[in-house]
Amino acid sequence: MQLCAKKCSIKNGNFSVNCDFVISKGEHLALFGPSGTGKSTVLLGLSGFLPLTAGELLYGNKTLLSLEPKDRPIDILFQENNLFPHISVAQNVVLGLGPNARMTRENKELVYKILKKVDLFQERDRLPENISGGQRSRVAIARSLLRKKPILLLDEPFSALDFVLKKEILKLLISIAKKDKLSIFLVSH
């Protein structure tokens, strides 16, 4: 399967951006540019949070334009990680299954498996404020992976991290993506 944006125009207030690309299953695509050029707007349009005013957005042979963000084969990971500070690492990850997801026996197994994959099993009971920035990024990645969407959009999620940590997390993410045949679309400066 592939994600195909054909002559798409995405509107964000008075600003609009055009994109045209194809990304196949398991491939990675990066979009670089200075602030204010529409990189995040592209991701928000692909994920359904902003309207496409022209063009087609296809996954395989099916259009995504009429689908709500939650129903698209796409997950988006934002720069801020969006972790809830008052709940544990494991509880933040289980929310990848939905806003009302609970730590049932079955969900706990899924969460623990993902936490082991991102090397955070030992941190499962800690609060986000008690782990490092790199670990918080891995919690957000784990939550996204739990959703099992075939396409992951990354909106500068590691920009606050130092070079060594950024490189380590990207290496982990690429390794997981290869194993799970996950397509990644990354935007950065």
Side-chain angles (χ1 to χ4, degrees):
M1 289 272 220
Q2 58 185 210
L3 179 67
C4 181
K6 293 182 180 181
K7 299 180 182 179
C8 290
S9 184
I10 303 161
K11 189 165 177 61
N12 190 355
N14 294 328
F15 177 79
S16 67
V17 64
N18 298 319
C19 65
D20 198 78
F21 68 87
V22 174
I23 183 170
S24 295
K25 184 176 183 176
E27 288 186 341
H28 313 303
L29 180 65
L31 179 61
F32 295 97
S35 292
T37 55
K39 299 179 307 294
S40 295
T41 297
V42 169
L43 296 187
L44 291 170
L46 297 175
S47 58
F49 292 106
L50 287 175
L52 268 67
T53 56
E56 290 183 275
L57 184 61
L58 304 169
Y59 182 64
N61 296 335
K62 297 179 183 175
T63 184
L64 300 181
L65 295 181
S66 61
L67 297 179
E68 294 292 320
K70 68 179 179 58
D71 298 324
R72 293 185 182 201
I74 296 170
D75 194 40
I76 188 166
L77 184 59
F78 296 100
Q79 184 174 2
E80 299 84 22
N81 297 323
N82 297 330
L83 301 181
F84 292 97
H86 63 287
I87 60 175
S88 72
V89 164
Q91 290 167 322
N92 267 286
V93 173
V94 79
L95 292 176
L97 296 173
N100 297 319
R102 298 288 175 249
M103 199 60 89
T104 63
R105 184 178 186 168
E106 182 180 334
N107 288 349
K108 186 182 276 192
E109 286 179 28
L110 292 171
V111 168
Y112 286 5
K113 182 178 179 182
I114 293 286
L115 286 174
K116 287 175 186 172
K117 193 180 267 194
V118 298
D119 197 26
L120 282 177
F121 182 74
Q122 299 300 323
E123 315 303 329
R124 66 189 177 278
D125 296 323
R126 296 178 74 186
L127 295 176
E129 68 183 18
N130 297 324
I131 59 176
S132 72
Q135 289 171 322
R136 285 191 294 273
S137 290
R138 286 188 276 150
V139 172
I141 290 169
R143 185 177 53 210
S144 285
L145 292 174
L146 191 62
R147 291 185 184 117
K148 295 187 178 184
K149 302 275 184 146
I151 302 162
L152 180 58
L153 308 178
L154 302 170
D155 191 7
E156 301 186 44
F158 316 127
S159 62
L161 305 177
D162 65 49
F163 178 77
V164 173
L165 199 49
K166 187 183 300 187
K167 187 176 173 182
E168 174 189 316
I169 290 173
L170 282 173
K171 184 179 175 183
L172 170 71
L173 191 55
I174 295 298
S175 167
I176 291 168
K178 274 185 181 178
K179 191 184 300 180
D180 295 346
K181 299 231 190 282
L182 179 68
S183 300
I184 296 177
F185 190 130
L186 169 74
V187 300
S188 189
H189 287 96

mmCIF file of all heavy atoms in Angstrom, residues 62-109:
data_model
loop_
_atom_site.group_PDB
_atom_site.id
_atom_site.type_symbol
_atom_site.label_atom_id
_atom_site.label_comp_id
_atom_site.label_asym_id
_atom_site.label_seq_id
_atom_site.Cartn_x
_atom_site.Cartn_y
_atom_site.Cartn_z
ATOM 1 N N LYS A 62 -8.060 3.852 -2.155
ATOM 2 C CA LYS A 62 -9.167 4.485 -1.439
ATOM 3 C C LYS A 62 -8.842 5.926 -1.067
ATOM 4 O O LYS A 62 -7.755 6.213 -0.571
ATOM 5 C CB LYS A 62 -9.492 3.691 -0.168
ATOM 6 C CG LYS A 62 -9.972 2.291 -0.450
ATOM 7 C CD LYS A 62 -10.248 1.541 0.830
ATOM 8 C CE LYS A 62 -10.666 0.104 0.508
ATOM 9 N NZ LYS A 62 -10.843 -0.693 1.692
ATOM 10 N N THR A 63 -9.822 6.796 -1.248
ATOM 11 C CA THR A 63 -9.637 8.189 -0.860
ATOM 12 C C THR A 63 -9.728 8.331 0.658
ATOM 13 O O THR A 63 -10.501 7.621 1.314
ATOM 14 C CB THR A 63 -10.663 9.117 -1.538
ATOM 15 O OG1 THR A 63 -10.356 10.466 -1.179
ATOM 16 C CG2 THR A 63 -12.084 8.783 -1.141
ATOM 17 N N LEU A 64 -8.938 9.251 1.188
ATOM 18 C CA LEU A 64 -8.970 9.515 2.630
ATOM 19 C C LEU A 64 -9.731 10.792 2.952
ATOM 20 O O LEU A 64 -9.959 11.095 4.121
ATOM 21 C CB LEU A 64 -7.543 9.627 3.175
ATOM 22 C CG LEU A 64 -6.642 8.416 3.027
ATOM 23 C CD1 LEU A 64 -5.272 8.688 3.640
ATOM 24 C CD2 LEU A 64 -7.268 7.191 3.661
ATOM 25 N N LEU A 65 -10.113 11.526 1.934
ATOM 26 C CA LEU A 65 -10.680 12.862 2.143
ATOM 27 C C LEU A 65 -11.934 12.880 2.999
ATOM 28 O O LEU A 65 -12.161 13.826 3.738
ATOM 29 C CB LEU A 65 -10.941 13.535 0.797
ATOM 30 C CG LEU A 65 -9.688 13.823 -0.024
ATOM 31 C CD1 LEU A 65 -10.056 14.508 -1.322
ATOM 32 C CD2 LEU A 65 -8.686 14.640 0.767
ATOM 33 N N SER A 66 -12.745 11.864 2.931
ATOM 34 C CA SER A 66 -13.997 11.862 3.701
ATOM 35 C C SER A 66 -13.827 11.252 5.094
ATOM 36 O O SER A 66 -14.762 11.252 5.886
ATOM 37 C CB SER A 66 -15.080 11.102 2.934
ATOM 38 O OG SER A 66 -14.677 9.755 2.749
ATOM 39 N N LEU A 67 -12.637 10.753 5.391
ATOM 40 C CA LEU A 67 -12.408 10.093 6.684
ATOM 41 C C LEU A 67 -11.993 11.081 7.771
ATOM 42 O O LEU A 67 -11.201 11.997 7.534
ATOM 43 C CB LEU A 67 -11.333 9.014 6.549
ATOM 44 C CG LEU A 67 -11.634 7.841 5.620
ATOM 45 C CD1 LEU A 67 -10.449 6.884 5.590
ATOM 46 C CD2 LEU A 67 -12.898 7.114 6.053
ATOM 47 N N GLU A 68 -12.506 10.852 8.961
ATOM 48 C CA GLU A 68 -12.083 11.616 10.139
ATOM 49 C C GLU A 68 -10.626 11.241 10.466
ATOM 50 O O GLU A 68 -10.181 10.141 10.125
ATOM 51 C CB GLU A 68 -12.970 11.272 11.334
ATOM 52 C CG GLU A 68 -14.405 11.709 11.184
ATOM 53 C CD GLU A 68 -14.547 13.218 11.188
ATOM 54 O OE1 GLU A 68 -13.849 13.889 11.974
ATOM 55 O OE2 GLU A 68 -15.356 13.725 10.398
ATOM 56 N N PRO A 69 -9.888 12.113 11.169
ATOM 57 C CA PRO A 69 -8.498 11.800 11.521
ATOM 58 C C PRO A 69 -8.331 10.437 12.201
ATOM 59 O O PRO A 69 -7.416 9.688 11.878
ATOM 60 C CB PRO A 69 -8.102 12.943 12.458
ATOM 61 C CG PRO A 69 -8.943 14.095 12.003
ATOM 62 C CD PRO A 69 -10.260 13.469 11.589
ATOM 63 N N LYS A 70 -9.228 10.090 13.104
ATOM 64 C CA LYS A 70 -9.097 8.824 13.830
ATOM 65 C C LYS A 70 -9.261 7.601 12.932
ATOM 66 O O LYS A 70 -8.806 6.511 13.254
ATOM 67 C CB LYS A 70 -10.091 8.763 14.993
ATOM 68 C CG LYS A 70 -11.546 8.672 14.570
ATOM 69 C CD LYS A 70 -12.470 8.591 15.768
ATOM 70 C CE LYS A 70 -13.916 8.523 15.398
ATOM 71 N NZ LYS A 70 -14.298 7.428 14.541
ATOM 72 N N ASP A 71 -9.938 7.780 11.798
ATOM 73 C CA ASP A 71 -10.214 6.665 10.895
ATOM 74 C C ASP A 71 -9.188 6.523 9.771
ATOM 75 O O ASP A 71 -9.271 5.600 8.971
ATOM 76 C CB ASP A 71 -11.612 6.824 10.294
ATOM 77 C CG ASP A 71 -12.685 6.800 11.361
ATOM 78 O OD1 ASP A 71 -12.526 6.039 12.342
ATOM 79 O OD2 ASP A 71 -13.677 7.547 11.229
ATOM 80 N N ARG A 72 -8.232 7.434 9.706
ATOM 81 C CA ARG A 72 -7.212 7.375 8.655
ATOM 82 C C ARG A 72 -6.096 6.416 9.066
ATOM 83 O O ARG A 72 -5.874 6.184 10.263
ATOM 84 C CB ARG A 72 -6.645 8.767 8.389
ATOM 85 C CG ARG A 72 -7.696 9.685 7.779
ATOM 86 C CD ARG A 72 -7.149 11.018 7.392
ATOM 87 N NE ARG A 72 -8.229 11.843 6.858
ATOM 88 C CZ ARG A 72 -8.042 12.888 6.070
ATOM 89 N NH1 ARG A 72 -6.826 13.245 5.713
ATOM 90 N NH2 ARG A 72 -9.076 13.571 5.627
ATOM 91 N N PRO A 73 -5.368 5.870 8.094
ATOM 92 C CA PRO A 73 -4.275 4.942 8.402
ATOM 93 C C PRO A 73 -2.999 5.682 8.812
ATOM 94 O O PRO A 73 -1.882 5.242 8.543
ATOM 95 C CB PRO A 73 -4.089 4.205 7.064
ATOM 96 C CG PRO A 73 -4.443 5.223 6.040
ATOM 97 C CD PRO A 73 -5.578 6.009 6.650
ATOM 98 N N ILE A 74 -3.199 6.807 9.470
ATOM 99 C CA ILE A 74 -2.113 7.740 9.766
ATOM 100 C C ILE A 74 -2.137 8.098 11.243
ATOM 101 O O ILE A 74 -3.204 8.343 11.810
ATOM 102 C CB ILE A 74 -2.296 9.028 8.918
ATOM 103 C CG1 ILE A 74 -2.168 8.702 7.429
ATOM 104 C CG2 ILE A 74 -1.319 10.096 9.332
ATOM 105 C CD1 ILE A 74 -2.569 9.841 6.502
ATOM 106 N N ASP A 75 -0.944 8.173 11.839
ATOM 107 C CA ASP A 75 -0.823 8.700 13.191
ATOM 108 C C ASP A 75 0.178 9.841 13.128
ATOM 109 O O ASP A 75 1.105 9.816 12.323
ATOM 110 C CB ASP A 75 -0.351 7.619 14.175
ATOM 111 C CG ASP A 75 -0.538 8.059 15.611
ATOM 112 O OD1 ASP A 75 -1.565 8.688 15.918
ATOM 113 O OD2 ASP A 75 0.350 7.783 16.430
ATOM 114 N N ILE A 76 -0.004 10.844 13.960
ATOM 115 C CA ILE A 76 0.891 11.994 13.963
ATOM 116 C C ILE A 76 1.494 12.162 15.352
ATOM 117 O O ILE A 76 0.807 12.043 16.363
ATOM 118 C CB ILE A 76 0.151 13.273 13.489
ATOM 119 C CG1 ILE A 76 1.122 14.434 13.311
ATOM 120 C CG2 ILE A 76 -1.007 13.617 14.384
ATOM 121 C CD1 ILE A 76 0.543 15.618 12.534
ATOM 122 N N LEU A 77 2.792 12.386 15.371
ATOM 123 C CA LEU A 77 3.530 12.592 16.618
ATOM 124 C C LEU A 77 4.039 14.029 16.616
ATOM 125 O O LEU A 77 4.841 14.402 15.772
ATOM 126 C CB LEU A 77 4.690 11.595 16.706
ATOM 127 C CG LEU A 77 5.526 11.586 17.958
ATOM 128 C CD1 LEU A 77 4.686 11.307 19.194
ATOM 129 C CD2 LEU A 77 6.616 10.543 17.847
ATOM 130 N N PHE A 78 3.538 14.826 17.551
ATOM 131 C CA PHE A 78 3.866 16.241 17.605
ATOM 132 C C PHE A 78 5.147 16.499 18.394
ATOM 133 O O PHE A 78 5.600 15.665 19.178
ATOM 134 C CB PHE A 78 2.711 17.032 18.240
ATOM 135 C CG PHE A 78 1.454 16.994 17.435
ATOM 136 C CD1 PHE A 78 0.417 16.129 17.775
ATOM 137 C CD2 PHE A 78 1.302 17.801 16.329
ATOM 138 C CE1 PHE A 78 -0.749 16.096 17.043
ATOM 139 C CE2 PHE A 78 0.138 17.773 15.585
ATOM 140 C CZ PHE A 78 -0.887 16.921 15.935
ATOM 141 N N GLN A 79 5.685 17.695 18.227
ATOM 142 C CA GLN A 79 6.927 18.111 18.874
ATOM 143 C C GLN A 79 6.834 18.032 20.396
ATOM 144 O O GLN A 79 7.779 17.657 21.057
ATOM 145 C CB GLN A 79 7.233 19.545 18.437
ATOM 146 C CG GLN A 79 8.530 20.099 18.942
ATOM 147 C CD GLN A 79 8.816 21.473 18.336
ATOM 148 O OE1 GLN A 79 8.037 22.014 17.574
ATOM 149 N NE2 GLN A 79 9.937 22.020 18.686
ATOM 150 N N GLU A 80 5.686 18.337 20.952
ATOM 151 C CA GLU A 80 5.544 18.427 22.409
ATOM 152 C C GLU A 80 5.336 17.077 23.100
ATOM 153 O O GLU A 80 5.297 17.007 24.313
ATOM 154 C CB GLU A 80 4.357 19.333 22.765
ATOM 155 C CG GLU A 80 4.482 20.746 22.268
ATOM 156 C CD GLU A 80 4.031 20.896 20.818
ATOM 157 O OE1 GLU A 80 3.263 20.067 20.302
ATOM 158 O OE2 GLU A 80 4.483 21.859 20.180
ATOM 159 N N ASN A 81 5.139 16.022 22.356
ATOM 160 C CA ASN A 81 4.883 14.670 22.872
ATOM 161 C C ASN A 81 3.514 14.505 23.502
ATOM 162 O O ASN A 81 3.010 13.409 23.612
ATOM 163 C CB ASN A 81 5.959 14.195 23.853
ATOM 164 C CG ASN A 81 7.314 14.083 23.209
ATOM 165 O OD1 ASN A 81 7.430 13.700 22.051
ATOM 166 N ND2 ASN A 81 8.350 14.432 23.946
ATOM 167 N N ASN A 82 2.898 15.575 23.995
ATOM 168 C CA ASN A 82 1.539 15.542 24.543
ATOM 169 C C ASN A 82 1.314 14.446 25.582
ATOM 170 O O ASN A 82 0.341 13.707 25.515
ATOM 171 C CB ASN A 82 0.510 15.424 23.418
ATOM 172 C CG ASN A 82 0.527 16.618 22.491
ATOM 173 O OD1 ASN A 82 0.839 17.722 22.918
ATOM 174 N ND2 ASN A 82 0.203 16.401 21.240
ATOM 175 N N LEU A 83 2.199 14.354 26.546
ATOM 176 C CA LEU A 83 2.031 13.395 27.634
ATOM 177 C C LEU A 83 1.257 14.049 28.776
ATOM 178 O O LEU A 83 1.400 15.245 29.032
ATOM 179 C CB LEU A 83 3.388 12.911 28.151
ATOM 180 C CG LEU A 83 4.301 12.234 27.133
ATOM 181 C CD1 LEU A 83 5.587 11.793 27.804
ATOM 182 C CD2 LEU A 83 3.615 11.064 26.456
ATOM 183 N N PHE A 84 0.446 13.253 29.455
ATOM 184 C CA PHE A 84 -0.269 13.746 30.623
ATOM 185 C C PHE A 84 0.659 13.633 31.830
ATOM 186 O O PHE A 84 1.126 12.535 32.156
ATOM 187 C CB PHE A 84 -1.552 12.945 30.848
ATOM 188 C CG PHE A 84 -2.579 13.177 29.780
ATOM 189 C CD1 PHE A 84 -2.705 12.299 28.716
ATOM 190 C CD2 PHE A 84 -3.409 14.292 29.830
ATOM 191 C CE1 PHE A 84 -3.645 12.520 27.722
ATOM 192 C CE2 PHE A 84 -4.355 14.520 28.842
ATOM 193 C CZ PHE A 84 -4.464 13.631 27.785
ATOM 194 N N PRO A 85 0.932 14.751 32.519
ATOM 195 C CA PRO A 85 1.922 14.743 33.598
ATOM 196 C C PRO A 85 1.503 13.987 34.856
ATOM 197 O O PRO A 85 2.345 13.560 35.636
ATOM 198 C CB PRO A 85 2.126 16.229 33.910
ATOM 199 C CG PRO A 85 0.871 16.886 33.465
ATOM 200 C CD PRO A 85 0.360 16.080 32.300
ATOM 201 N N HIS A 86 0.205 13.802 35.061
ATOM 202 C CA HIS A 86 -0.308 13.218 36.305
ATOM 203 C C HIS A 86 -0.498 11.699 36.245
ATOM 204 O O HIS A 86 -0.928 11.107 37.229
ATOM 205 C CB HIS A 86 -1.625 13.895 36.687
ATOM 206 C CG HIS A 86 -2.712 13.682 35.686
ATOM 207 N ND1 HIS A 86 -2.719 14.316 34.464
ATOM 208 C CD2 HIS A 86 -3.813 12.890 35.708
ATOM 209 C CE1 HIS A 86 -3.786 13.927 33.785
ATOM 210 N NE2 HIS A 86 -4.464 13.063 34.521
ATOM 211 N N ILE A 87 -0.202 11.084 35.087
ATOM 212 C CA ILE A 87 -0.339 9.629 34.997
ATOM 213 C C ILE A 87 0.980 8.999 34.558
ATOM 214 O O ILE A 87 1.832 9.658 33.964
ATOM 215 C CB ILE A 87 -1.498 9.203 34.053
ATOM 216 C CG1 ILE A 87 -1.288 9.718 32.638
ATOM 217 C CG2 ILE A 87 -2.835 9.668 34.605
ATOM 218 C CD1 ILE A 87 -2.338 9.232 31.639
ATOM 219 N N SER A 88 1.131 7.736 34.850
ATOM 220 C CA SER A 88 2.399 7.031 34.613
ATOM 221 C C SER A 88 2.707 6.869 33.130
ATOM 222 O O SER A 88 1.848 7.063 32.261
ATOM 223 C CB SER A 88 2.347 5.646 35.263
ATOM 224 O OG SER A 88 1.486 4.796 34.528
ATOM 225 N N VAL A 89 3.928 6.468 32.859
ATOM 226 C CA VAL A 89 4.378 6.154 31.506
ATOM 227 C C VAL A 89 3.437 5.137 30.864
ATOM 228 O O VAL A 89 2.937 5.338 29.757
ATOM 229 C CB VAL A 89 5.831 5.642 31.537
ATOM 230 C CG1 VAL A 89 6.213 4.940 30.247
ATOM 231 C CG2 VAL A 89 6.796 6.784 31.845
ATOM 232 N N ALA A 90 3.176 4.033 31.566
ATOM 233 C CA ALA A 90 2.305 2.981 31.019
ATOM 234 C C ALA A 90 0.901 3.503 30.748
ATOM 235 O O ALA A 90 0.290 3.177 29.721
ATOM 236 C CB ALA A 90 2.248 1.785 31.960
ATOM 237 N N GLN A 91 0.367 4.322 31.653
ATOM 238 C CA GLN A 91 -0.979 4.865 31.457
ATOM 239 C C GLN A 91 -1.015 5.837 30.277
ATOM 240 O O GLN A 91 -2.005 5.894 29.555
ATOM 241 C CB GLN A 91 -1.463 5.545 32.736
ATOM 242 C CG GLN A 91 -1.739 4.550 33.847
ATOM 243 C CD GLN A 91 -1.905 5.242 35.186
ATOM 244 O OE1 GLN A 91 -1.215 6.204 35.507
ATOM 245 N NE2 GLN A 91 -2.847 4.733 35.970
ATOM 246 N N ASN A 92 0.058 6.604 30.056
ATOM 247 C CA ASN A 92 0.139 7.469 28.882
ATOM 248 C C ASN A 92 0.148 6.645 27.605
ATOM 249 O O ASN A 92 -0.487 6.998 26.624
ATOM 250 C CB ASN A 92 1.402 8.356 28.946
ATOM 251 C CG ASN A 92 1.140 9.700 29.579
ATOM 252 O OD1 ASN A 92 0.535 10.571 28.967
ATOM 253 N ND2 ASN A 92 1.593 9.851 30.816
ATOM 254 N N VAL A 93 0.856 5.533 27.620
ATOM 255 C CA VAL A 93 0.944 4.689 26.428
ATOM 256 C C VAL A 93 -0.398 4.038 26.118
ATOM 257 O O VAL A 93 -0.824 4.001 24.959
ATOM 258 C CB VAL A 93 2.057 3.628 26.579
ATOM 259 C CG1 VAL A 93 2.035 2.630 25.423
ATOM 260 C CG2 VAL A 93 3.423 4.306 26.653
ATOM 261 N N VAL A 94 -1.102 3.533 27.120
ATOM 262 C CA VAL A 94 -2.381 2.844 26.868
ATOM 263 C C VAL A 94 -3.399 3.778 26.211
ATOM 264 O O VAL A 94 -4.283 3.318 25.494
ATOM 265 C CB VAL A 94 -2.952 2.189 28.147
ATOM 266 C CG1 VAL A 94 -3.647 3.196 29.046
ATOM 267 C CG2 VAL A 94 -3.906 1.053 27.790
ATOM 268 N N LEU A 95 -3.252 5.071 26.393
ATOM 269 C CA LEU A 95 -4.169 6.019 25.761
ATOM 270 C C LEU A 95 -4.053 6.003 24.239
ATOM 271 O O LEU A 95 -4.913 6.545 23.547
ATOM 272 C CB LEU A 95 -3.945 7.430 26.305
ATOM 273 C CG LEU A 95 -4.336 7.618 27.776
ATOM 274 C CD1 LEU A 95 -4.000 9.020 28.250
ATOM 275 C CD2 LEU A 95 -5.808 7.305 27.983
ATOM 276 N N GLY A 96 -3.019 5.366 23.719
ATOM 277 C CA GLY A 96 -2.921 5.157 22.280
ATOM 278 C C GLY A 96 -4.073 4.316 21.752
ATOM 279 O O GLY A 96 -4.400 4.367 20.564
ATOM 280 N N LEU A 97 -4.698 3.550 22.603
ATOM 281 C CA LEU A 97 -5.834 2.712 22.212
ATOM 282 C C LEU A 97 -7.151 3.478 22.220
ATOM 283 O O LEU A 97 -8.165 2.974 21.758
ATOM 284 C CB LEU A 97 -5.938 1.497 23.137
ATOM 285 C CG LEU A 97 -4.760 0.539 23.083
ATOM 286 C CD1 LEU A 97 -4.890 -0.534 24.164
ATOM 287 C CD2 LEU A 97 -4.642 -0.092 21.705
ATOM 288 N N GLY A 98 -7.146 4.684 22.769
ATOM 289 C CA GLY A 98 -8.349 5.506 22.807
ATOM 290 C C GLY A 98 -8.411 6.304 24.093
ATOM 291 O O GLY A 98 -7.774 5.929 25.087
ATOM 292 N N PRO A 99 -9.182 7.390 24.110
ATOM 293 C CA PRO A 99 -9.214 8.262 25.290
ATOM 294 C C PRO A 99 -9.786 7.602 26.539
ATOM 295 O O PRO A 99 -9.507 8.040 27.645
ATOM 296 C CB PRO A 99 -10.083 9.441 24.844
ATOM 297 C CG PRO A 99 -10.861 8.937 23.677
ATOM 298 C CD PRO A 99 -10.044 7.865 23.038
ATOM 299 N N ASN A 100 -10.562 6.548 26.374
ATOM 300 C CA ASN A 100 -11.148 5.866 27.531
ATOM 301 C C ASN A 100 -10.495 4.517 27.813
ATOM 302 O O ASN A 100 -11.027 3.723 28.589
ATOM 303 C CB ASN A 100 -12.655 5.668 27.313
ATOM 304 C CG ASN A 100 -13.380 6.988 27.197
ATOM 305 O OD1 ASN A 100 -13.092 7.924 27.935
ATOM 306 N ND2 ASN A 100 -14.296 7.076 26.253
ATOM 307 N N ALA A 101 -9.356 4.269 27.167
ATOM 308 C CA ALA A 101 -8.682 2.970 27.344
ATOM 309 C C ALA A 101 -8.228 2.795 28.793
ATOM 310 O O ALA A 101 -7.762 3.738 29.428
ATOM 311 C CB ALA A 101 -7.492 2.869 26.401
ATOM 312 N N ARG A 102 -8.392 1.608 29.276
ATOM 313 C CA ARG A 102 -7.988 1.261 30.651
ATOM 314 C C ARG A 102 -6.927 0.185 30.599
ATOM 315 O O ARG A 102 -6.780 -0.535 29.612
ATOM 316 C CB ARG A 102 -9.194 0.760 31.454
ATOM 317 C CG ARG A 102 -10.281 1.784 31.599
ATOM 318 C CD ARG A 102 -9.860 2.905 32.564
ATOM 319 N NE ARG A 102 -10.856 3.954 32.620
ATOM 320 C CZ ARG A 102 -10.677 5.172 32.142
ATOM 321 N NH1 ARG A 102 -9.556 5.498 31.553
ATOM 322 N NH2 ARG A 102 -11.615 6.080 32.236
ATOM 323 N N MET A 103 -6.233 0.039 31.690
ATOM 324 C CA MET A 103 -5.154 -0.934 31.786
ATOM 325 C C MET A 103 -5.725 -2.301 32.158
ATOM 326 O O MET A 103 -5.481 -2.829 33.231
ATOM 327 C CB MET A 103 -4.109 -0.467 32.804
ATOM 328 C CG MET A 103 -2.769 -1.135 32.669
ATOM 329 S SD MET A 103 -1.961 -0.889 31.100
ATOM 330 C CE MET A 103 -1.071 0.598 31.427
ATOM 331 N N THR A 104 -6.504 -2.862 31.245
ATOM 332 C CA THR A 104 -7.016 -4.217 31.434
ATOM 333 C C THR A 104 -5.854 -5.194 31.289
ATOM 334 O O THR A 104 -4.761 -4.814 30.870
ATOM 335 C CB THR A 104 -8.083 -4.550 30.376
ATOM 336 O OG1 THR A 104 -7.458 -4.518 29.090
ATOM 337 C CG2 THR A 104 -9.247 -3.577 30.430
ATOM 338 N N ARG A 105 -6.095 -6.428 31.572
ATOM 339 C CA ARG A 105 -5.046 -7.446 31.459
ATOM 340 C C ARG A 105 -4.500 -7.510 30.019
ATOM 341 O O ARG A 105 -3.296 -7.532 29.803
ATOM 342 C CB ARG A 105 -5.608 -8.805 31.880
ATOM 343 C CG ARG A 105 -4.599 -9.898 31.885
ATOM 344 C CD ARG A 105 -5.246 -11.182 32.359
ATOM 345 N NE ARG A 105 -4.226 -12.191 32.489
ATOM 346 C CZ ARG A 105 -4.419 -13.330 33.087
ATOM 347 N NH1 ARG A 105 -5.594 -13.611 33.617
ATOM 348 N NH2 ARG A 105 -3.465 -14.210 33.174
ATOM 349 N N GLU A 106 -5.422 -7.522 29.059
ATOM 350 C CA GLU A 106 -5.023 -7.586 27.646
ATOM 351 C C GLU A 106 -4.247 -6.330 27.227
ATOM 352 O O GLU A 106 -3.213 -6.414 26.560
ATOM 353 C CB GLU A 106 -6.269 -7.741 26.775
ATOM 354 C CG GLU A 106 -5.979 -7.862 25.302
ATOM 355 C CD GLU A 106 -7.253 -8.009 24.482
ATOM 356 O OE1 GLU A 106 -8.270 -8.499 25.001
ATOM 357 O OE2 GLU A 106 -7.202 -7.620 23.308
ATOM 358 N N ASN A 107 -4.746 -5.155 27.632
ATOM 359 C CA ASN A 107 -4.064 -3.908 27.288
ATOM 360 C C ASN A 107 -2.697 -3.807 27.953
ATOM 361 O O ASN A 107 -1.750 -3.288 27.360
ATOM 362 C CB ASN A 107 -4.924 -2.705 27.661
ATOM 363 C CG ASN A 107 -6.114 -2.543 26.748
ATOM 364 O OD1 ASN A 107 -6.213 -3.202 25.710
ATOM 365 N ND2 ASN A 107 -7.046 -1.683 27.135
ATOM 366 N N LYS A 108 -2.606 -4.299 29.183
ATOM 367 C CA LYS A 108 -1.329 -4.274 29.894
ATOM 368 C C LYS A 108 -0.277 -5.073 29.123
ATOM 369 O O LYS A 108 0.868 -4.644 28.992
ATOM 370 C CB LYS A 108 -1.491 -4.831 31.311
ATOM 371 C CG LYS A 108 -0.245 -4.700 32.167
ATOM 372 C CD LYS A 108 -0.447 -5.321 33.540
ATOM 373 C CE LYS A 108 -1.115 -4.332 34.446
ATOM 374 N NZ LYS A 108 -1.094 -4.744 35.863
ATOM 375 N N GLU A 109 -0.668 -6.220 28.599
ATOM 376 C CA GLU A 109 0.258 -7.035 27.808
ATOM 377 C C GLU A 109 0.751 -6.270 26.582
ATOM 378 O O GLU A 109 1.941 -6.287 26.267
ATOM 379 C CB GLU A 109 -0.404 -8.343 27.376
ATOM 380 C CG GLU A 109 -0.566 -9.339 28.488
ATOM 381 C CD GLU A 109 -1.253 -10.618 28.023
ATOM 382 O OE1 GLU A 109 -1.141 -10.970 26.828
ATOM 383 O OE2 GLU A 109 -1.913 -11.263 28.867
#
